[in-house]
Amino acid sequence: MFDTRPNCEAEVVLVGRSNVGKSTLMRELTGHSFDTGKKPGVTRSPNHYDWSAEDFVLTDLPGFGFMSGVEGDRQEDIKTGIVHYLEDNAEKILVAILVVDGKSVIDIIDRHSDGEEIPYDVEMFHFLRELDIPTVVAVNKMDKVDDRDERLNELCDRLGILPPWKQWQETIAPITAKRGQLSALNEAVRTHLHDQQRDDLFKFF
């Protein structure tokens, strides 16, 4: 399921829970439609979109975490597949975009913070950083958020980085994918691409 990766040296990956808008974001970035749906877990295997001339692939990994109607074992298999994919390709991944739902992310993190388990979003953020993959948190659906700065500051706090969020603009990017409002994300991704001397990929962001 996870061995469909085109043979490209450079990659940007989208990771995140089910139903946070990864496939919509993928469509906005590529201009190419992928399966999206209201039902969580529509994307069960990676969607790759590659530009062979640039030796570059953009990958939308399956959603992780709870999915209604999907058995627990299957959910664990998907999560394990994502972890292995990221570990196996860490050297080639220039940037990881961790997509979260700006409206619900704080509640979800707090609901799963009981000391016993680390919430998936927080765990994934730290896991990507442990792999030395530059990570941008794309905080999606910001058109539905009223207290924007407060919400983004709270997210920094939950992720273990010091608010205010505005000092982390290469890490925290408020977006509304459905409306094509991606400028904060594009800027953040470009910062990381530039650091890795891949300004030639700016045209995709």
Side-chain angles (χ1 to χ4, degrees), residues 78-98:
I78 290 172
K79 189 182 170 203
T80 302
I82 293 167
V83 165
H84 288 315
Y85 185 94
L86 293 168
E87 286 175 335
D88 293 347
N89 298 296
E91 305 258 312
K92 297 177 178 178
I93 298 172
L94 302 177
V95 186
I97 300 171
L98 173 59

Side-chain angles (χ1 to χ4, degrees), residues 9 21 37 57 65 76 81 109 118-120 123 126-127 139 141 159 178 180 192 195:
E9 276 306 302
V57 60
E76 275 308 308
I109 289 174
I118 302 168
Y120 280 136
E123 186 180 31
H126 290 290
F127 176 63
V139 192
K141 308 184 186 180
L159 293 174
K178 204 160 64 174
H192 296 299
D195 288 346

Side-chain angles (χ1 to χ4, degrees), residues 16-93:
R17 288 177 174 278
S18 298
N19 256 26
V20 293
K22 291 193 312 303
S23 299
T24 304
L25 177 55
M26 184 81 165
R27 189 178 64 227
E28 285 296 322
L29 290 171
T30 63
H32 185 81
S33 277
F34 296 86
D35 287 338
T36 60
K38 293 222 175 288
K39 215 170 94 187
V42 170
T43 308
R44 298 288 174 86
S45 56
N47 277 321
H48 302 284
Y49 198 79
D50 64 297
W51 291 268
S52 50
E54 282 81 7
D55 203 15
F56 170 63
V57 60
L58 181 66
T59 300
D60 174 20
L61 289 170
F64 56 77
F66 174 74
M67 295 172 238
S68 61
V70 180
E71 291 172 10
D73 288 354
R74 177 91 179 114
Q75 291 176 32
E76 275 308 308
D77 286 348
I78 290 172
K79 189 182 170 203
T80 302
I82 293 167
V83 165
H84 288 315
Y85 185 94
L86 293 168
E87 286 175 335
D88 293 347
N89 298 296
E91 305 258 312
K92 297 177 178 178
I93 298 172

Side-chain angles (χ1 to χ4, degrees), residues 191-204:
T191 300
H192 296 299
L193 292 176
H194 178 69
D195 288 346
Q196 295 167 85
Q197 295 166 340
R198 289 306 304 259
D199 291 19
D200 58 305
L201 299 178
F202 279 15
K203 59 189 170 191
F204 300 120

Side-chain angles (χ1 to χ4, degrees), residues 91-145:
E91 305 258 312
K92 297 177 178 178
I93 298 172
L94 302 177
V95 186
I97 300 171
L98 173 59
V99 187
V100 301
D101 182 332
K103 196 158 186 265
S104 62
V105 64
I106 303 299
D107 294 339
I108 289 171
I109 289 174
D110 289 352
R111 198 181 315 143
H112 292 276
S113 299
D114 61 1
E116 300 277 312
E117 59 174 328
I118 302 168
Y120 280 136
D121 301 290
V122 177
E123 186 180 31
M124 184 58 71
F125 179 71
H126 290 290
F127 176 63
L128 289 164
R129 291 179 125 199
E130 276 165 29
L131 292 175
D132 281 330
I133 298 174
T135 303
V136 179
V137 182
V139 192
N140 195 19
K141 308 184 186 180
M142 287 303 288
D143 55 322
K144 297 178 178 170
V145 174

